[in-house]
Amino acid sequence: MDLTPSDLKTKDIYKLLTGSVVPRPIAWVSTVSEDGVLNLAPFSFFTVASTKPAILAISIGQGSGERLGAEKDTLANIRSQEEFVINVVSSSLGNEMQKSAENLPAEVDEFQYAGLTPVDSVTVKPKRVKEALIHMECKLHQILPLGSNALVLGEMTHYHIQDEVYLGNYKVDLEKLSPLGRLAGNYSESKEFFTLPR
């Protein structure tokens, strides 16, 4: 089967891409609004863009449901405050992450809604998710419009890792971290690791 993207509906391209580019890491992004409302939402279009300087990339689409086509609270907050935190989602936090992904009004605090604990960051105003094992504080580097999405580039200004998942020598214990990955309509759990060649 051969397909030409320009001949397809956006939702069909989305299904093909999210079923093919797998598994994807999840950036659990915490921000704060101009009015001080805490916001937390997951994004699976996420990667490292540069290591020197350390820059992380998140692609944020438009709202859905009742807020179809509107700018998401996360993006609006990053535009206005120019700061955010990326929390890493372990498998054990999947249900809380899913709750924070619901289409909620801007005045709702997703930390409280999902039963999570906000803790102060070191270099930015947005709070970190205490229950997450890794947090990366970021200051906005650039926002690039890409069709219906916005590519957010953030420079990491501080990094937190819990001792239980730190192996030493700047290495992460992935087995203990058990990061949640995004597939098409579901998720993957990182449990078995191996080196190549087998």
Side-chain angles (χ1 to χ4, degrees):
M1 187 174 200
D2 295 294
L3 301 166
T4 303
S6 58
D7 295 337
L8 303 177
K9 293 179 180 177
T10 302
K11 67 176 183 178
D12 296 329
I13 296 171
Y14 176 85
K15 287 190 285 186
L16 286 171
L17 289 175
T18 58
S20 304
V21 183
V22 291
R24 298 185 307 282
I26 300 168
W28 205 6
V29 182
S30 49
T31 59
V32 63
S33 72
E34 289 182 359
D35 299 326
V37 178
L38 303 185
N39 178 265
L40 181 66
F43 298 91
S44 65
F45 288 12
F46 164 52
T47 192
V48 176
S50 169
T51 52
K52 191 172 178 133
I55 292 179
L56 300 166
I58 311 160
S59 183
I60 300 177
Q62 297 175 340
S64 59
E66 293 179 0
R67 302 176 70 184
L68 184 64
E71 184 170 81
K72 291 189 175 178
D73 297 334
T74 299
L75 182 56
N77 292 345
I78 291 173
R79 277 191 203 282
S80 68
Q81 303 302 300
E82 300 189 348
E83 297 178 336
F84 57 97
V85 178
I86 295 174
N87 305 274
V88 175
V89 186
S90 294
S91 298
S92 61
L93 293 169
N95 289 337
E96 290 83 353
M97 182 219 65
Q98 187 61 34
K99 262 190 97 85
S100 74
E102 292 180 22
N103 198 8
L104 301 168
E107 61 271 15
V108 173
D109 177 339
E110 282 90 357
F111 279 86
Q112 188 174 23
Y113 182 76
L116 296 161
T117 312
V119 292
D120 288 341
S121 297
V122 174
T123 61
V124 297
K125 288 181 184 176
K127 304 289 187 181
R128 298 176 287 129
V129 177
K130 181 179 181 181
E131 292 79 2
L133 299 172
I134 292 175
H135 320 106
M136 294 170 278
E137 300 180 16
C138 298
K139 290 190 183 285
L140 179 63
H141 177 73
Q142 191 175 5
I143 297 176
L144 299 172
L146 294 175
S148 60
N149 282 39
L151 183 65
V152 175
L153 299 174
E155 183 170 350
M156 187 175 70
T157 54
H158 205 83
Y159 181 93
H160 305 259
I161 183 168
Q162 293 296 318
D163 292 345
E164 63 195 90
V165 292
Y166 183 60
L167 289 171
N169 197 29
Y170 308 101
K171 293 183 180 179
V172 178
D173 188 330
L174 293 176
E175 290 185 4
K176 288 183 180 176
L177 179 63
S178 185
L180 197 61
R182 191 74 163 110
L183 301 174
N186 46 21
Y187 298 86
S188 66
E189 206 170 16
S190 299
K191 286 185 170 180
E192 297 181 13
F193 302 90
F194 58 89
T195 57
L196 293 174
R198 286 178 149 177

